[in-house]
């Protein structure tokens, strides 16, 4: 056992004295030490119930013969951080979470880990840590929020942001907005649509790192507590059988996750996180493969914001396993991958039933024959750009219009809300990438303002930043190379015609190569926006969006 380094032998007598100070008994020190990584805090709605999840995990570990020991992980609420400087600190926490978990696990020599995350960056951050540490690990999240109800209709956080845009357009009163404000987020949990947090929790099941229901059982259901107890018990089985994260998160497992991603219509942020997790697992995962997987994977779900179903509906319909079982009918998954259940994918999903063919379309009656995410390329994005195709209205799948160019999110929002953006425009927001932001801010405010102003079916948005899973419409993010490193997006000028063809995975500015070369000669790199603290270090180390915005030591 790894924990022998701190509990066994004469040389470890000082270590045991410190465990005594913690109140651990001799019997507890003789059992495997199981670290429980708790993301509990009182600022993130998806985390306010994690204390109960953690207590259930501790009980499960103890029931199965382990000694549970809790330590923390941080988390940022993207919704609260949205639209101001705070959003620069969202994506960057993914690496802080991975690094601090590595430090705690190595310093204290835990035998195994139970990860208890829930929201946007600490799910992938802890998956990165698990892959890096490669000691037996299992995940149990806090679960999704129930949908809100306004005027008899289910609503979620994306409805709230769009209501602000509707107010700016004179389509809603302040009283209308206040009603949304008080009703769209009715419980604890990760926001109720297929946004980033729920996307990553569902993909944790698809990867094999969580038990059935981890992505979909609502936060307020008692079933979530039972799931946590089972996760605590199951980590002892994984330890006993020495099943480690890299045994589970193989190349085939990542292909399964990408396939499920396409079927579910997950957040485009998954195209940042899956490559980053794979990088830690020693698996090369280029986003280019997404189109090949999308081409053969039907889109089976249109959860909010793409449609009118929510995570609670997906759970009732049979959850992630029911989606995977539909995919298996056309041999779209590798069923032999081992998972944290101790069984294979095929064994896990055998017998899973699709109980609602509208929430989960049968494989022969999909929403579309291609997947929910597309990677676009062209002279704007030689490396890549990413769009949530399943959330784009049909009339915007092919679009051409004049560029309206902004060098930061705030300027774009001001123009949208003041009526300066009109039907047909292509809004370009640049210098918001991993280095340029820094931190690759989410653009939920501008996309929601566009939708709220009634322009969602006539205006596109392109950025080297990224989008919340709550964004919908022709919103193309992760444009790489980013403007801050001289990517072509930096060369676009006001009024240039931009052509977008999502079905053909193409995006170009209609400017000659010669003209772009001339503009490049005049382009000058900008001074970093932030020169001190963690963001300055992040700027120096972060790679482009198409590589998952992973950190590398500058050479």
């Amino acid at each position: 056992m790894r924990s022998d380094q701190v509990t066994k032998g004469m040389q470890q007598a000082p270590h045991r004295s410190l465990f005594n100070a913690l109140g651990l008994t001799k019997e507890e020190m003789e059992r495997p030490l199981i670290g429980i990584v708790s993301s509990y805090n009182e600022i993130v709605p998806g985390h306010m119930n994690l204390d109960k999840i953690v207590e259930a995990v501790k009980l499960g570990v103890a029931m199965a013969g382990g000694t549970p020991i809790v330590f923390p992980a941080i988390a940022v609420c993207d919704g609260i951080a949205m639209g101001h400087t705070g959003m620069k600190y969202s994506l960057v926490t993914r690496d802080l979470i991975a690094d601090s978990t590595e430090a705690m696990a190595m310093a204290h020599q835990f035998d195994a880990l139970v990860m208890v995350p829930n929201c946007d960056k600490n799910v992938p951050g802890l998956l990165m840590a698990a892959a890096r540490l490669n000691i037996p690990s299992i995940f149990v999240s806090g679960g999704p929020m129930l949908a809100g109800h306004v005027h008899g209709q289910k609503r979620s956080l994306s409805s709230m942001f769009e209501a602000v845009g509707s107010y700016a357009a004179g389509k809603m009163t302040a009283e209308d907005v206040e009603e949304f404000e008080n009703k769209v987020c009715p419980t604890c949990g990760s926001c109720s649509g297929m946004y980033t947090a729920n996307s990553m929790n569902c993909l944790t099941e698809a990867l094999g790192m969580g038990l059935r229901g981890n992505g979909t059982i609502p936060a307020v259901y008692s079933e979530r507590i039972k799931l946590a107890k089972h996760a605590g018990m199951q980590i002892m089985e994984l330890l006993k059988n020495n099943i480690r994260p890299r045994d589970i998160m193989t190349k085939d497992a990542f292909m399964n996750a990408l396939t499920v991603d396409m079927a579910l219509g997950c957040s485009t942020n998954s195209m940042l996180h899956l490559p980053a997790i794979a990088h830690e697992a020693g698996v090369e995962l280029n986003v280019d493969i997404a189109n090949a997987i999308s081409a053969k994977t039907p889109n089976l779900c249109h959860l909010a914001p793409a449609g009118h179903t929510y995570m609670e509906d997906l759970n009732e319909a049979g959850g992630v396993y029911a989606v995977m079982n539909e995919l298996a009918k056309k041999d779209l998954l590798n069923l032999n991958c081992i998972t944290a259940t101790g069984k294979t994918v095929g064994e896990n999903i055998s017998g899973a039933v699709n109980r609602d063919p509208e929430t989960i379309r049968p494989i022969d009656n999909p929403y579309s024959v291609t997947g929910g995410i597309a990677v676009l390329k062209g002279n704007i994005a030689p490396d890549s750009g990413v769009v949530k195709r399943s959330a784009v209205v049909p009339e915007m799948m092919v679009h051409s219009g004049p560029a309206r160019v902004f060098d930061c999110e705030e300027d774009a929002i001001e123009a949208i809300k003041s009526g300066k953006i009109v039907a047909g425009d292509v809004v370009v927001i640049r210098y918001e990438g991993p280095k340029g932001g820094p931190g690759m801010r989410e653009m939920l405010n501008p996309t929601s303002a566009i939708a709220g102003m009634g322009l969602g079916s006539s205006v596109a948005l392109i950025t080297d930043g990224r989008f919340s899973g709550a964004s919908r419409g022709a919103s193309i993010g992760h444009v790489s190379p980013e403007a801050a490193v001289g990517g072509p997006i930096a060369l676009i000028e006001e009024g240039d015609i931009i052509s977008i063809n999502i079905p053909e995975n193409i995006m170009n500015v209609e400017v000659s190569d010669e003209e772009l070369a001339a503009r490049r000669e005049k382009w000058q790199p900008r001074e970093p926006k932030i020169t001190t603290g963690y963001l300055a270090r992040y700027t120096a180390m972060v790679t482009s969006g198409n590589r998952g915005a992973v950190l590398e030591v500058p050479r």
Side-chain angles (χ1 to χ4, degrees):
M1 289 288 177
R2 286 162 50 89
S3 60
D4 289 353
Q5 300 290 323
V6 293
T7 59
K8 301 289 193 303
M10 183 56 65
Q11 287 297 116
Q12 281 65 44
H15 305 70
R16 289 193 295 276
S17 71
L18 294 168
F19 282 119
N20 283 325
L22 290 170
L24 264 64
T25 65
K26 181 180 179 182
E27 291 81 1
E28 287 174 302
M29 283 185 254
E30 290 175 348
R31 295 176 177 180
L33 301 186
I34 310 300
I36 302 174
V37 189
S38 170
S39 301
Y40 171 75
N41 62 48
E42 295 182 341
I43 189 64
V44 182
H47 291 217
M48 62 178 287
N49 66 322
L50 293 190
D51 55 341
K52 295 176 178 59
I53 301 295
V54 167
E55 287 304 313
V57 171
K58 287 174 67 177
L59 183 57
V61 169
M63 287 168 63
T67 298
I69 301 176
V70 180
F71 65 88
I74 63 168
V76 162
C77 176
D78 276 26
I80 295 173
M82 195 70 66
H84 55 88
T85 301
M87 183 46 69
K88 295 179 186 291
Y89 287 87
S90 171
L91 178 61
V92 305
T93 63
R94 186 186 70 180
D95 297 274
L96 284 173
I97 291 161
D99 292 348
S100 59
T101 302
E102 174 194 1
M104 289 293 288
M106 294 301 293
H108 303 104
Q109 291 295 292
F110 290 107
D111 295 305
L113 297 172
V114 182
M115 310 293 197
V116 187
N118 208 26
C119 289
D120 293 26
K121 306 308 168 306
N122 71 326
V123 179
L126 290 178
L127 282 165
M128 289 167 67
R132 186 187 302 175
L133 288 161
N134 201 33
I135 60 175
S137 301
I138 195 169
F139 280 67
V140 56
S141 79
M145 184 184 290
L146 294 176
H149 291 263
V150 183
H151 300 158
Q153 291 185 313
K154 286 184 178 181
R155 297 289 188 176
S156 62
L157 184 65
S158 53
S159 305
M160 185 69 254
F161 278 90
E162 290 176 15
V164 175
S166 295
Y167 175 78
K171 298 179 179 181
M172 290 180 71
T173 66
E175 290 74 21
D176 293 331
V177 174
E178 185 177 12
E179 183 174 10
F180 272 72
E181 182 181 327
N182 289 327
K183 293 182 177 179
V184 297
C185 295
T187 69
C188 63
S190 49
C191 297
S192 56
M194 187 54 78
Y195 309 147
T196 305
N198 291 324
S199 294
M200 293 310 302
N201 278 325
C202 287
L203 294 182
T204 300
E205 280 192 64
L207 272 172
M209 290 296 293
L211 302 180
R212 181 175 187 172
N214 181 63
T216 60
I217 297 171
V220 294
Y221 284 15
S222 297
E223 188 69 22
R224 174 67 52 180
I225 300 296
K226 293 162 69 175
L227 180 73
K229 291 175 183 176
H230 283 132
M233 290 186 271
Q234 184 59 25
I235 192 60
M236 299 305 296
E237 289 298 310
L238 294 175
L239 178 61
K240 174 184 174 182
N241 295 307
N242 196 29
I243 298 175
R244 304 184 183 207
R246 293 194 189 186
D247 300 324
I248 296 170
M249 290 192 281
T250 62
K251 180 79 170 181
D252 287 336
F254 281 102
M255 294 302 102
N256 283 349
L258 275 172
T259 302
V260 174
D261 190 336
M262 296 299 169
L264 285 172
C266 289
S267 164
T268 52
N269 280 318
S270 63
M271 293 294 103
L272 279 175
H273 300 322
L274 286 176
I277 299 160
H279 176 75
E280 296 290 354
V283 173
E284 184 178 349
L285 188 66
N286 193 307
V287 294
D288 289 349
I289 201 170
N291 286 340
I293 292 178
S294 179
K296 63 181 182 180
T297 306
N299 178 224
L300 305 181
C301 300
H302 266 193
L303 282 84
H308 301 291
T309 52
Y310 294 81
M311 295 304 298
E312 62 204 66
D313 302 312
L314 179 59
N315 187 64
E316 293 301 317
V320 175
Y321 278 17
V323 174
M324 294 176 75
N325 200 36
E326 290 290 345
L327 294 170
K329 292 175 183 177
K330 292 209 170 173
D331 298 323
L332 294 173
L333 298 175
N334 186 314
L335 302 181
N336 296 318
C337 296
I338 193 67
T339 71
T341 66
K343 300 176 182 178
T344 65
V345 169
E347 290 172 316
N348 286 343
I349 67 174
S350 176
V353 176
N354 181 357
R355 301 187 186 94
D356 182 354
E358 281 306 307
T359 298
I360 304 172
R361 288 282 185 91
I363 194 75
D364 292 321
N365 182 34
Y367 282 101
S368 66
V369 296
T370 54
I373 290 177
V375 175
L376 310 186
K377 289 193 176 186
N379 64 0
I380 297 174
D383 290 338
S384 66
V386 179
V387 63
K388 187 171 182 175
R389 175 165 43 194
S390 60
V392 179
V393 293
E395 55 266 39
M396 288 300 291
M397 297 297 273
V398 178
H399 180 76
S400 181
R404 306 298 307 279
V405 183
F406 304 94
D407 287 350
C408 69
E409 176 190 8
E410 289 81 0
D411 290 350
I413 293 171
E414 182 182 350
I416 296 164
K417 290 187 175 179
S418 62
K420 295 176 182 177
I421 302 301
V422 299
D425 285 347
V426 179
V427 176
V428 177
I429 305 177
R430 61 194 182 189
Y431 295 100
E432 290 285 8
K435 286 184 180 292
M440 205 177 186
R441 288 196 288 180
E442 285 186 344
M443 301 292 144
L444 180 56
N445 273 348
T447 59
S448 298
I450 287 170
M453 297 285 282
L455 297 171
S457 59
S458 60
V459 170
L461 193 154
I462 296 172
T463 181
D464 53 7
R466 59 194 179 89
F467 294 108
S468 165
S471 291
R472 61 187 175 99
S475 304
I476 302 160
H478 309 188
V479 169
S480 302
E482 63 174 293
V485 298
I489 191 173
L491 309 179
I492 298 172
E493 294 183 358
E494 186 82 8
D496 286 348
I497 300 300
I498 293 176
S499 298
I500 300 164
N501 190 320
I502 295 173
E504 295 186 8
N505 306 314
I506 294 171
M507 175 175 60
N508 285 306
V509 58
E510 295 182 8
V511 173
S512 69
D513 292 344
E514 291 78 14
E515 173 61 19
L516 287 176
R519 293 180 186 180
R520 181 170 296 285
E521 288 292 321
K522 298 176 184 177
W523 179 81
Q524 293 292 325
R526 301 189 174 196
E527 290 296 319
K529 294 176 184 176
I530 296 176
T531 57
T532 60
Y534 178 60
L535 286 182
R537 297 195 298 276
Y538 185 87
T539 300
M541 298 174 69
V542 70
T543 61
S544 64
N546 70 303
R547 295 184 56 198
V550 298
L551 301 187
E552 289 185 345
V553 177
R555 298 186 184 279

